[in-house]
Amino acid sequence: MASVQPSAAALAPQRPSTAATLPSPSISPRVFPFPRTRARRLEVAARAMPWPHVLTVAGSDSGAGAGIQADIKACAALGAYCSSVITAVTAQNTVGVQGVHAVPEDFVGEQIRSVLSDMSVDVVKTGMLPSAGIVKVLCGSLRKFPVKALVVDPVMVSTSGDTLSGPSTLTIYRDELFPMADIVTPNVKEASKLLGDVSLQTISDMRDAAECIHKLGPKHVLVKGGDMPNSSEAIDVFFDGKEFIELRGLRIKTRNTHGTGCTLASCVAAELAKGATMLHAVQVAKKFVESALYHSKDLVIGNGPQGPFDHLFSLKSPLYKMGSLHKFNPNDLFLYAVTDPGMNKKWGRSIKDAVKAAIEGGATIVQLREKDTGTREFLEAAKACVDICRSSGVPLLINDRIDVALACNADGVHVGQTDMPAWEVRELLGPGKIIGVSCKTPAQAEQAWKDGADYIGCGGVFPTTTKANNPTLGFEGLRTVCSASKLPVVAIGGINAGNAGSVMELGLPNLKGVAVVSALFDRECVTTETRSLRSILMNACSKS
């Protein structure tokens, strides 16, 4: 721990914050500029840091696609420790479930007490609970050993259609377990059973189901729509008792869907154990499942209709960037540097040198906007910039050119209103990449959110010479879009050292930073200008 310096992105402040003196970012972030004694203190603190801990109470899947096997793999992939209590042993494979042997209730209780009495569990996640007695044992144990959160995945039917929990467990689920739950995550089939076999065919039906299940006691409900008929998207409905949020994702065409429900609930539990809010935990979990399905869609294990997917795909896929999976950090937008070929030419800089200088000054994200550069030259420069940005932990996006982004394995793309829509960009790039969209109106911001973008760029805030015929929104237009946006916002257009502070001092909801072009790259020393602008932004954030 003591040998790694925080990246520039990690140093971006979260508003509100107090003014702080931070070390300047460096292209070579491998050595702490601290005395040996401080490095030692950091090392000791790291060792004392608690490990996020999830306890899964679920059945064992002999095929290892679902159940506790999926739970453990999912938690490990997201950096959480996962202990386990086995409620049943199943004989199952990719064809189906051949047998279920429930573990005696007393021994389930003994397992639970053994872990909870000793191991500082943060979150308990439930899966297959084959009997009402086991549910009662679990509820009693949680009253004696309370945890930070309880995630309930009401597993009743396997992916192949085999019954895993009898109808006698429904009443005890509703009466005792749900009122203790922080979130319940049924798919549409399970939601239907919980509500007396009601028909769920539309998004409106899913909303109604989420509201009805919420009345049974859980703080949050996620009704998963992966099995919804006639849907081109994988749409889940999240309900917190006040607001419905539709979470849209790609529908991956693959047979390898066994264990998706177990995995999603375990990812939610892992993120909660790490301190995430419930909505963020759900978003990360959905992105993880989508990414895992995408990266292992052609995997072949077994001869049945439902194969498993690879939870540890990130270890094997060179095109997969783990940092992008966790729903990119909105604070990366804090100081957003956008390159310009004309300015680079004017000052005799290469794209690579311009990007390197901006990062040295403290840029937290970089966009290559090279409209006049030939494809071959642009691609070679983009590959070099990817290497620079990766070594510094700074995301690199490509403006418009999805082909270049794919070829150089950039972290994502930024598109405008006349370019390819974000949902089509997502289909080409796949999950795990950052997508930004330029927006000038609340309607455009809403569409960007529906299309699956990660952030929006709003402007021009001020008049600018870098984009022809670009209407100026001013503070009022920026305020209107920020107030309506469900996505993080970066302000752009005519922003410089003289007005950047006033933009951030507005304290607008979702406004995470400013994007600049001329103020950085049409200057003699990019590093100096970037460092100065970063200081201005930090001071402004400390006041707002």
Side-chain angles (χ1 to χ4, degrees):
M1 291 294 291
S3 63
V4 180
Q5 182 177 350
S7 69
L11 293 176
Q14 297 185 11
R15 295 188 291 113
S17 66
T18 56
T21 300
L22 297 173
S24 297
S26 169
I27 284 293
S28 302
R30 293 298 174 189
V31 181
F32 258 131
F34 303 133
R36 188 175 179 84
T37 54
R38 182 175 178 186
R40 177 60 179 164
R41 288 199 300 272
L42 289 170
E43 181 181 352
V44 172
R47 289 178 179 175
M49 187 179 299
W51 195 352
H53 186 167
V54 175
L55 168 62
T56 173
V57 182
S60 171
D61 175 1
S62 57
I68 61 162
Q69 287 84 354
D71 298 342
I72 292 170
K73 287 184 285 188
C75 288
L78 292 183
Y81 183 80
C82 187
S83 52
S84 62
V85 166
I86 300 176
T87 60
V89 178
T90 68
Q92 61 178 301
N93 51 26
T94 63
V95 176
V97 179
Q98 291 79 48
V100 177
H101 178 74
V103 174
E105 295 165 9
D106 289 347
F107 193 68
V108 170
E110 189 171 343
Q111 292 179 76
I112 296 172
R113 289 188 296 273
S114 181
V115 177
L116 292 181
S117 66
D118 173 57
M119 299 181 69
S120 301
V121 172
D122 296 301
V123 179
V124 169
K125 176 264 174 186
T126 73
M128 177 185 174
L129 304 176
S131 70
I134 286 178
V135 179
K136 282 183 173 290
V137 167
L138 172 63
C139 292
S141 298
L142 290 175
R143 294 186 187 100
K144 185 175 181 181
F145 301 101
V147 294
K148 294 179 183 177
L150 172 62
V151 176
V152 175
D153 184 25
V155 177
M156 300 171 193
V157 181
S158 72
T159 309
S160 57
D162 297 282
T163 299
L164 299 176
S165 293
S168 62
T169 62
L170 286 177
T171 300
I172 197 73
Y173 261 117
R174 292 187 291 240
D175 293 348
E176 292 199 34
L177 192 59
F178 283 7
M180 300 178 70
D182 291 87
I183 186 169
V184 176
T185 63
N187 58 34
V188 288
K189 294 178 181 177
E190 291 159 347
S192 174
K193 283 189 174 294
L194 288 168
L195 299 175
D197 293 320
V198 298
S199 176
L200 301 180
Q201 299 293 326
T202 66
I203 301 300
S204 179
D205 293 340
M206 292 172 66
R207 283 173 170 249
D208 291 342
E211 188 170 18
C212 289
I213 293 172
H214 185 268
K215 291 177 181 177
L216 298 176
K219 294 184 178 72
H220 304 84
V221 179
L222 180 71
V223 177
K224 300 171 294 188
D227 294 328
M228 285 290 286
N230 304 318
S231 175
S232 59
E233 298 177 282
I235 303 174
D236 303 334
V237 172
F238 177 82
F239 184 57
D240 62 2
K242 296 179 180 178
E243 182 181 10
F244 292 97
I245 297 177
E246 293 177 14
L247 302 170
R248 296 171 179 267
L250 296 176
R251 183 174 290 278
I252 310 298
K253 294 181 179 179
T254 177
R255 65 182 280 273
N256 298 325
T257 58
H258 185 48
T260 50
C262 303
T263 298
L264 187 139
S266 295
C267 289
V268 170
E271 290 301 304
L272 293 177
K274 289 154 63 177
T277 63
M278 186 62 75
L279 178 57
H280 180 74
V282 170
Q283 289 172 326
V284 170
K286 184 172 178 64
K287 181 69 71 175
F288 179 89
V289 172
E290 183 180 287
S291 298
L293 288 171
Y294 180 85
H295 285 276
S296 52
K297 61 181 181 292
D298 298 321
L299 185 70
V300 178
I301 295 181
N303 300 306
Q306 279 90 32
F309 57 88
D310 185 3
H311 293 77
L312 304 180
F313 60 95
S314 63
L315 299 179
K316 304 166 188 175
S317 174
L319 297 179
Y320 180 76
K321 182 177 181 292
M322 193 65 182
S324 297
L325 167 69
H326 298 289
K327 204 67 177 175
F328 93 106
N329 186 350
N331 290 318
D332 287 344
L333 300 175
F334 183 64
L335 180 45
Y336 190 132
V338 184
T339 66
D340 181 272
M343 295 172 193
N344 287 335
K345 184 177 180 180
K346 173 182 175 181
W347 293 97
R349 299 187 196 99
S350 66
I351 302 174
K352 176 180 176 181
D353 289 340
V355 169
K356 182 176 180 180
I359 293 176
E360 286 178 339
T364 55
I365 191 168
V366 174
Q367 180 191 137
L368 300 186
R369 185 174 180 268
E370 301 290 324
K371 299 286 187 179
D372 303 323
T373 307
T375 299
R376 180 174 295 180
E377 179 186 355
F378 187 15
L379 178 57
E380 290 307 310
K383 289 178 178 178
C385 291
V386 165
D387 291 339
I388 293 170
C389 289
R390 291 276 162 80
S391 67
S392 304
V394 174
L396 179 77
L397 308 185
I398 306 296
N399 181 268
D400 296 349
R401 297 291 301 271
I402 299 167
D403 56 337
V404 173
L406 284 167
C408 72
N409 190 27
D411 296 303
V413 298
H414 186 94
V415 294
Q417 288 297 313
T418 60
D419 298 318
M420 186 180 294
W423 68 267
E424 289 190 4
V425 176
R426 181 69 72 193
E427 286 192 345
L428 291 172
L429 293 184
K433 296 294 184 180
I434 302 169
I435 298 176
V437 179
S438 297
C439 299
K440 294 181 180 295
T441 68
Q444 291 174 351
E446 175 74 12
Q447 189 61 50
W449 178 76
K450 289 180 178 179
D451 287 347
D454 294 291
Y455 74 91
I456 64 170
C458 182
V461 180
F462 305 105
T464 176
T465 59
T466 60
K467 211 167 190 179
N469 304 317
N470 188 33
T472 300
L473 299 180
F475 284 167
E476 192 57 38
L478 178 64
R479 181 179 287 109
T480 300
V481 174
C482 284
S483 298
S485 177
K486 295 183 178 72
L487 294 172
V489 180
V490 59
I492 191 168
I495 297 175
N496 54 45
N499 57 35
S502 62
V503 174
M504 296 306 293
E505 286 174 6
L506 292 173
L508 299 175
N510 297 326
L511 182 61
K512 298 299 182 181
V514 299
V516 285
V517 188
S518 304
L520 300 186
F521 297 108
D522 198 12
R523 298 292 188 273
E524 182 176 0
C525 183
V526 174
T527 299
T528 299
E529 298 298 331
T530 309
R531 187 174 292 126
S532 175
L533 185 55
R534 181 187 175 92
S535 178
I536 290 169
L537 294 174
M538 292 180 67
N539 288 334
C541 288
S542 69
K543 297 176 184 177
S544 61

